[in-house]
Amino acid sequence: MKILITGTAGFIGFSFALKLLKKDFYIIGIDNHNNYYDPKLKEARIDLLKSFKNYDHNKLDISDNTSLKKVFFNEKPNIVVNLAAQAGVRYSIENPLAYIDSNIKGFINILEECRHNNVEHLVYASSSSVYGSNTTLPFSTHQNVDHPLSLYAATKKSNELMAHCYSHLYDLPTTGLRFFTVYGPWGRPDMALFKFTKNILNKEPIDVFNYGKHKRDFTYIDDITETLERIIQKNAAPNPGWDSNSPDPATSMCPWKVYNIGNSKPVNLMSYINEIENCLEIKAKINLLPMQPGDVQSTHADVSDLIDDFEYKPSTDIKVGVNKFVSWYKKYYKF
């Protein structure tokens, strides 16, 4: 079996590829190595993946359809996992066009290649950001999500709609995964855990938005990769009970489905910071700031469908997850 994973220089793509490589899957990796954050961290991830003989890396942008076609034509992957995207809610306010190129143009290219190369199953990253202005907690995939609060969220919602069209028109099984605040070793430098750890170690203040009143459903990376491994082995299927008079937003009459992937235990941001302080044995200097545009107060994943369909629920406690990240960070950056 050949599995093509896009975004393998990124946090989740790298972590998932590494998990599968250790189990002797043949992985075709794609990444454009952009400079959204430290390219050296991305290169270090790729160097580790390249140490496996069953990994084949391709440096290209999924918005480059000509290059993408060549990879699909040459490799003929059985399963595609699209984790490449321009990430970040706040960055999407400053650089909206970057999100159209990667998240819209790039995704349609992926769909087209899956269609024309008989791919058995497309699994792709969506985001908890699609819940936007929803305030009913926990967030359920069976809720309507038509009011995004950032362009990033809008592009992820668009991906779900685009995938549905291809599932309907071409019988392509597609599964969308709404990730909730993923963290852990090899994480993204633009995420809170990475920023807080770096600043606390350097005796610099940390910026805490919404005056620390945020709640987040922090989800550890190993729970994400375990979920992904289970999902790639079970194609999305039509819901025989789907009713157009009372449509279920999480399923369809065609082979299409979306899942929440979250720990389902929201944590107050200040409690999260306390865990980092405990692991570092350093008290943080905190700069309290108002809510940022595009942000939401709280997130909480309803993962009942994941439990029903895959008998699995993310469950890593933040005490364990934060400690593992801090240990990795201090080793990687030689603190």
Side-chain angles (χ1 to χ4, degrees):
M1 179 179 290
K2 289 185 176 183
I3 301 174
L4 186 149
I5 304 175
T6 69
T8 47
F11 175 34
I12 300 177
F14 156 77
S15 301
F16 184 46
L18 185 62
K19 179 181 178 69
L20 295 186
L21 289 168
K22 290 177 179 178
K23 295 187 174 185
D24 293 329
F25 284 89
Y26 180 77
I27 305 300
I28 307 143
I30 288 177
D31 203 286
N32 66 357
H33 298 233
N34 69 19
N35 61 357
Y36 170 63
Y37 60 77
D38 184 11
K40 291 182 180 178
L41 179 60
K42 295 184 177 184
E43 295 297 335
R45 292 171 181 151
I46 292 300
D47 286 344
L48 182 51
L49 297 181
K50 285 182 176 178
S51 67
F52 290 83
K53 293 180 180 179
N54 46 324
Y55 180 75
D56 175 33
H57 189 66
N58 299 269
K59 186 176 180 180
L60 63 94
D61 196 308
I62 59 171
S63 65
D64 177 359
N65 194 32
T66 301
S67 297
L68 192 65
K69 278 181 180 292
K70 291 178 181 177
V71 174
F72 272 83
F73 179 79
N74 291 332
E75 298 286 359
K76 293 291 190 295
N78 304 98
I79 294 170
V80 173
V81 183
N82 185 58
L83 300 172
Q86 180 56 61
V89 168
R90 292 161 189 165
Y91 189 69
S92 70
I93 296 171
E94 303 167 17
N95 296 276
L97 294 182
Y99 291 74
I100 301 302
D101 286 341
S102 180
N103 300 8
I104 302 298
K105 184 179 177 182
F107 192 64
I108 192 65
N109 288 342
I110 291 289
L111 286 168
E112 275 289 278
E113 294 312 308
C114 288
R115 166 197 171 191
H116 290 295
N117 289 278
N118 299 314
V119 168
E120 298 166 18
H121 189 193
L122 168 63
V123 178
Y124 62 94
S126 184
S127 168
S128 62
S129 297
V130 301
Y131 289 102
S133 59
N134 287 25
T135 55
T136 301
L137 297 174
F139 292 150
S140 169
T141 54
H142 303 284
Q143 296 171 353
N144 181 284
V145 287
D146 286 339
H147 298 87
L149 298 179
S150 68
L151 184 67
Y152 169 69
T155 63
K156 288 301 184 179
K157 169 64 174 176
S158 299
N159 288 170
E160 294 178 3
L161 296 173
M162 294 160 72
H164 186 273
C165 292
Y166 274 68
S167 294
H168 170 67
L169 292 170
Y170 309 112
D171 204 34
L172 170 67
T174 65
T175 304
L177 307 178
R178 296 174 179 171
F179 296 132
F180 281 69
T181 316
V182 187
Y183 74 102
W186 295 96
R188 277 170 38 199
D190 64 319
M191 296 292 282
L193 177 56
F194 207 109
K195 287 181 174 180
F196 292 167
T197 301
K198 178 182 178 181
N199 283 23
I200 293 171
L201 282 169
N202 290 322
K203 306 296 194 297
E204 297 175 359
I206 61 174
D207 289 338
V208 179
F209 295 98
N210 196 30
Y211 305 105
K213 297 176 182 177
H214 281 313
K215 279 191 174 182
R216 289 290 180 267
D217 200 341
F218 294 102
T219 313
Y220 189 62
I221 185 62
D222 287 1
D223 291 330
I224 296 289
T225 58
E226 176 64 25
T227 305
L228 277 165
E229 184 179 359
R230 290 170 184 244
I231 285 175
I232 63 170
Q233 298 179 59
K234 183 179 180 180
N235 290 5
N239 175 6
W242 195 86
D243 181 2
S244 61
N245 292 316
S246 181
D248 173 13
T251 64
S252 179
M253 70 292 187
C254 60
W256 176 94
K257 187 149 188 183
V258 291
Y259 292 95
N260 285 335
I261 315 297
N263 207 49
S264 203
K265 289 182 179 178
V267 175
N268 187 287
L269 184 57
M270 297 308 296
S271 299
Y272 196 62
I273 292 169
N274 288 339
E275 288 300 331
I276 303 170
E277 292 174 323
N278 292 338
C279 289
L280 294 174
E281 298 182 335
I282 303 172
K283 194 71 177 173
K285 300 174 184 177
I286 297 175
N287 183 25
L288 294 174
L289 297 169
M291 179 91 87
Q292 285 207 312
D295 219 342
V296 297
Q297 176 94 13
S298 303
T299 64
H300 182 183
D302 177 342
V303 294
S304 53
D305 284 355
L306 191 67
I307 296 169
D308 290 344
D309 293 352
F310 297 96
E311 299 181 345
Y312 183 75
K313 178 186 180 299
S315 59
T316 302
D317 187 82
I318 61 161
K319 291 179 184 291
V320 175
V322 169
N323 184 63
K324 287 185 177 181
F325 171 81
V326 168
S327 296
W328 168 83
Y329 185 97
K330 292 172 76 173
K331 181 179 180 181
Y332 184 82
Y333 288 102
K334 298 179 173 59
F335 271 93

